[in-house]
Amino acid sequence: MRLYTVEKDGKRFVAAGYADCEGLWPVKECFGIDADCMLDLVCCSEKQAQLAKFETKPEGEAPLKLADVTLCAPVPNPVGDVMCLGVNYYAHLVESNKAGHVSLEQKGHTVYFSKRVDEAVPCGGVVPSHRDICDRLDYEVELGVVLGKDAKKVTRENALDCVFGYTIINDISARNIQEEHKQWYFGKSLDGFCPMGPCIVTAAEFGDPKGHALCSIINGELRQNSNTELMMQDVPGLLAELSAGVTLKAGTVIATGTPAGVAMGMNPPKWLQPGDTVECKIEGIGSLINTIGE
Ligand code: MG
């Protein structure tokens, strides 16, 4: 099942969809689940149990069509900062090292940082380029993990029980700000720097987070092209490592790092420009498509 946050007639609500159709079922009206927003659903085990009964498509015609609503990011306002992994694919560690951003010594110890997200940008939305302060704008396709249960001292073996579902995140980055400030928080937290979507695919449908192809395509040109199999720290591993000392609350969104092929790694770098179209694609979820604004 796929879960969308959408707007229609000025009202924002959560609706369920299915891989093989364009229909949408508002969860409150159609499934009787009392959830006003995605976090109401994601943070409540009773509502998740109600939802699980609808994992297969209901019989009959869908009440709404995807084309007739406005898409929002699935979690438009995350509860805290989005937690992020840095250089989690070896080939991206190598290209980041060449660009002077990280030491190869980092291999073996996962890099964690966070990203402030005031309002996540939906699929189809515009990413502001902040040209007054940013002259090196970059893209990063990443598998996003949305927790549906608090994770505290989980093991590798039971870590995935805490996952509600998966989405696509584009960890937009201002490389000049990262360099100037010697850390990543500011350069990755500018308003509009977290496109997310188009939906959350439930953990039951997505299956093992390993083995999903992911890529980014800029103005039709394939740039990043990898597979989640190649993460150095995988999803169970990162949940076990982090939750050994940090309670990860239900509703937490985690961006699991990006593979090689970002603009910073190219010679010469092809920084994002106003008018560019950025498509981030993950097998089993779909495409997150955004344009770069002024
Ligand atoms: Mg990233």
Side-chain angles (χ1 to χ4, degrees):
M1 188 196 301
R2 282 122 200 277
L3 290 155
Y4 296 85
T5 299
V6 298
E7 277 177 1
K8 189 171 166 60
D9 303 328
K11 224 182 120 209
R12 188 177 276 197
F13 54 94
V14 179
Y18 299 87
D20 61 344
C21 80
E22 289 285 293
L24 284 181
W25 284 259
V27 301
K28 202 168 191 175
E29 292 163 30
C30 297
F31 301 166
I33 300 172
D34 188 21
D36 287 323
C37 67
M38 189 67 80
L39 288 174
D40 275 355
L41 188 59
V42 163
C43 299
C44 176
S45 54
E46 290 79 21
K47 289 171 191 172
Q48 288 172 35
Q50 280 179 277
L51 186 72
K53 296 178 196 153
F54 299 93
E55 192 63 49
T56 49
K57 192 169 73 180
E59 295 294 322
E61 212 164 299
L64 292 173
K65 288 205 162 51
L66 205 45
D68 297 334
V69 297
T70 303
L71 265 190
C72 305
V75 185
N77 310 101
V79 273
D81 289 352
V82 169
M83 301 190 85
C84 304
L85 277 71
V87 291
N88 196 29
Y89 291 76
Y90 186 67
H92 178 57
L93 173 62
V94 172
E95 71 177 356
S96 302
N97 172 258
K98 279 189 190 147
H101 270 235
V102 70
S103 159
L104 282 180
E105 302 293 310
Q106 199 54 57
K107 189 173 185 295
H109 294 281
T110 308
V111 175
Y112 296 105
F113 63 99
S114 67
K115 180 175 179 84
R116 172 58 56 93
V117 180
D118 178 42
E119 173 100 24
V121 173
C123 182
V126 174
V127 175
S129 54
H130 293 276
R131 283 197 289 174
D132 50 341
I133 56 170
C134 172
D135 60 9
R136 280 176 265 163
L137 188 66
D138 213 339
Y139 49 85
E140 298 189 345
V141 59
E142 309 200 6
L143 177 67
V145 179
V146 183
L147 298 189
K149 267 187 207 166
D150 292 358
K152 188 178 173 74
K153 297 193 186 301
V154 299
T155 62
R156 270 194 68 85
E157 289 65 38
N158 65 18
L160 293 183
D161 296 346
C162 298
V163 177
F164 176 83
Y166 299 88
T167 188
I168 306 170
I169 288 174
N170 185 350
D171 179 17
I172 297 278
S173 306
R175 301 297 184 200
N176 59 305
I177 296 177
Q178 279 184 251
E179 266 178 43
E180 287 155 9
H181 291 266
K182 308 292 177 209
Q183 45 73 37
W184 302 351
Y185 188 77
F186 182 20
K188 285 174 177 277
S189 296
L190 304 191
D191 292 348
F193 271 20
C194 190
M196 182 198 296
C199 59
I200 296 174
V201 176
T202 56
E205 177 170 324
F206 195 69
D208 190 339
K210 272 196 168 175
H212 294 257
L214 77 171
C215 67
S216 64
I217 300 160
I218 315 300
N219 302 327
E221 181 191 352
L222 182 66
R223 297 276 182 89
Q224 297 176 277
N225 190 19
S226 187
N227 192 290
T228 58
E229 185 76 42
L230 296 173
M231 284 182 192
M232 292 190 285
Q233 176 65 283
D234 62 9
V235 178
L238 76 90
L239 292 174
E241 184 168 71
L242 270 179
S243 77
V246 181
T247 301
L248 305 171
K249 293 288 203 187
T252 297
V253 178
I254 303 169
T256 55
T258 203
V262 298
M264 173 179 73
M266 302 175 84
N267 187 16
K270 288 189 186 173
W271 306 116
L272 291 173
Q273 303 296 334
D276 284 353
T277 299
V278 184
E279 178 177 6
C280 294
K281 236 171 144 172
I282 300 184
E283 185 184 14
I285 304 177
S287 284
L288 168 65
I289 302 169
N290 297 97
T291 51
I292 304 301
E294 287 299 319

